[in-house]
Amino acid sequence: MSRPGDHRPIVVGVDPDPTHRMALAWAADEAARRRRPLRAVHAEGVPTRGYRGREIPPSWEEWNAALHKAGRQALEEAGEFVAAKHPQLQVDAVLAEGDPVWVLREQSRDAAAVVLGSRHLSRAQEIFGSASIAVPVMARAHCPVVVVPEPEHITQDPTYFVVGVDGSDHSAAAVDVAFEEAALRGAELRALFVWEAGPFRVFDEHEPQQECRRLLSEIVAGRRARYPEVDLRHELVVGHPVQVLTEASAHALGLVVGTRGRGGFTGMLLGSVSQGVLHHARCPVIAVPSAPG
């Protein structure tokens, strides 16, 4: 998420519901920790859950004005919330018109990260509902995207991050971000290469598993030298990637994954593992494109 001499902001999507503040709190803490500005963004697109229960104005002009007013109020309340946590933090507010996915994708062009909230919707709600935009934003963003769950999860002491590794360029970029996050927070890092046996187990899996271990060792070696302060544990684990990563990150500060991995199909919106952990993980999920920022 960092590069020398840049001041790219941490962008956070502001939920109109003031009771959902975990993503905003995470983004504010991250911006303060990295000494970056925070950009709070609210997009006036399809009405979300925060507008339910309100009286619908009789005309489009009045409805649009009501959305604009609600958006300004949401940003003002978000600013007050951040100021109470980090009085010295530079905060910019952006009230944009248009589809939230498009707005956040454009905002990601000059951002260090985009932070979104998640209410753990079902798969059907995630794909077809207008209340969640995490998957399409993660798929198209130009920088890492962090999805923070509601409510706050319980972390474990000593604190740690988990990163999924598969030897691809996407997982290499994820490892870079994971080391950086762990170093910033004084946390441990657990790098996992998940070996998923096929439907027909081969007689001798020793050789392919050794190749996985070699890839894992190679991908963490250079980063380990760059971040000697990070206590690193790396291992090959047999099982389904989504299940293994979700269980390993149950009490983590965050789970870092690439947006696509080995065996993906060109043109897929988002890798199956990335989508799977997004639906099941209870800690923040950081999805990293192959060449972030």
Side-chain angles (χ1 to χ4, degrees), residues 4-274:
D6 80 74
H7 300 283
R8 294 173 298 161
I10 301 294
V11 170
V12 58
V14 173
D15 194 305
D17 187 343
T19 65
H20 294 97
R21 287 286 185 253
M22 289 306 304
L24 183 60
W26 196 99
D29 290 345
E30 185 76 355
R33 186 178 295 112
R34 292 177 176 272
R35 299 180 181 179
R36 291 183 178 276
L38 179 69
R39 183 183 298 165
V41 178
H42 180 79
E44 296 178 359
V46 178
T48 61
R49 289 182 177 184
Y51 298 113
R52 290 183 181 176
R54 300 182 183 183
E55 182 179 351
I56 300 177
S59 69
W60 168 250
E61 290 78 10
E62 290 175 296
W63 176 240
N64 192 51
L67 283 177
H68 192 75
K69 180 180 179 181
R72 287 199 309 269
Q73 181 179 344
L75 288 171
E76 288 173 4
E77 292 174 352
E80 293 170 357
F81 176 85
V82 173
K85 284 178 65 67
H86 300 286
Q88 305 303 317
L89 185 62
Q90 177 187 336
V91 183
D92 297 320
V94 175
L95 182 59
E97 293 185 359
D99 173 61
V101 172
W102 181 86
V103 167
L104 290 168
R105 185 190 66 189
E106 292 304 300
Q107 288 290 329
S108 76
R109 292 183 184 275
D110 69 341
V114 171
V115 184
L116 304 171
S118 170
R119 298 178 192 144
H120 287 286
L121 305 178
S122 69
R123 180 170 294 274
Q125 288 173 311
E126 181 74 46
I127 294 173
F128 299 111
S130 62
S132 178
I133 59 173
V135 168
V137 172
M138 287 172 68
R140 299 301 187 192
H142 300 274
C143 66
V145 175
V146 187
V147 181
V148 183
E150 297 273 359
E152 185 175 11
H153 74 297
I154 299 173
T155 57
Q156 180 176 299
D157 193 27
T159 55
Y160 66 97
F161 276 85
V162 173
V163 59
V165 181
D166 65 7
S168 67
D169 290 341
H170 291 274
S171 74
V175 171
D176 285 332
V177 170
F179 265 100
E180 190 177 346
E181 286 289 343
L184 277 171
R185 300 173 188 235
E188 296 179 354
L189 179 59
R190 302 176 185 177
L192 302 181
F193 197 121
V194 184
W195 168 266
E196 184 178 16
F200 302 102
R201 295 178 64 89
V202 297
F203 180 74
D204 184 5
E205 295 181 342
H206 176 73
E207 186 172 336
Q209 287 190 13
Q210 284 298 101
E211 174 64 12
C212 291
R213 290 189 176 92
R214 184 190 65 79
L215 285 171
L216 176 58
S217 296
E218 284 185 357
I219 206 169
V220 300
R223 284 84 175 176
R224 196 169 197 174
R226 198 183 316 158
Y227 298 97
E229 71 274 28
V230 174
D231 184 4
L232 173 69
R233 290 173 49 191
H234 59 92
E235 60 181 311
L236 175 71
V237 182
V238 178
H240 189 281
V242 172
Q243 181 179 356
V244 169
L245 292 174
T246 299
E247 291 178 354
S249 64
H251 300 295
L253 288 174
L255 169 60
V256 190
V257 293
T259 51
R260 294 179 181 85
R262 288 187 180 275
F265 295 96
T266 301
M268 280 185 65
L269 283 179
L270 199 65
S272 59
V273 173
S274 307

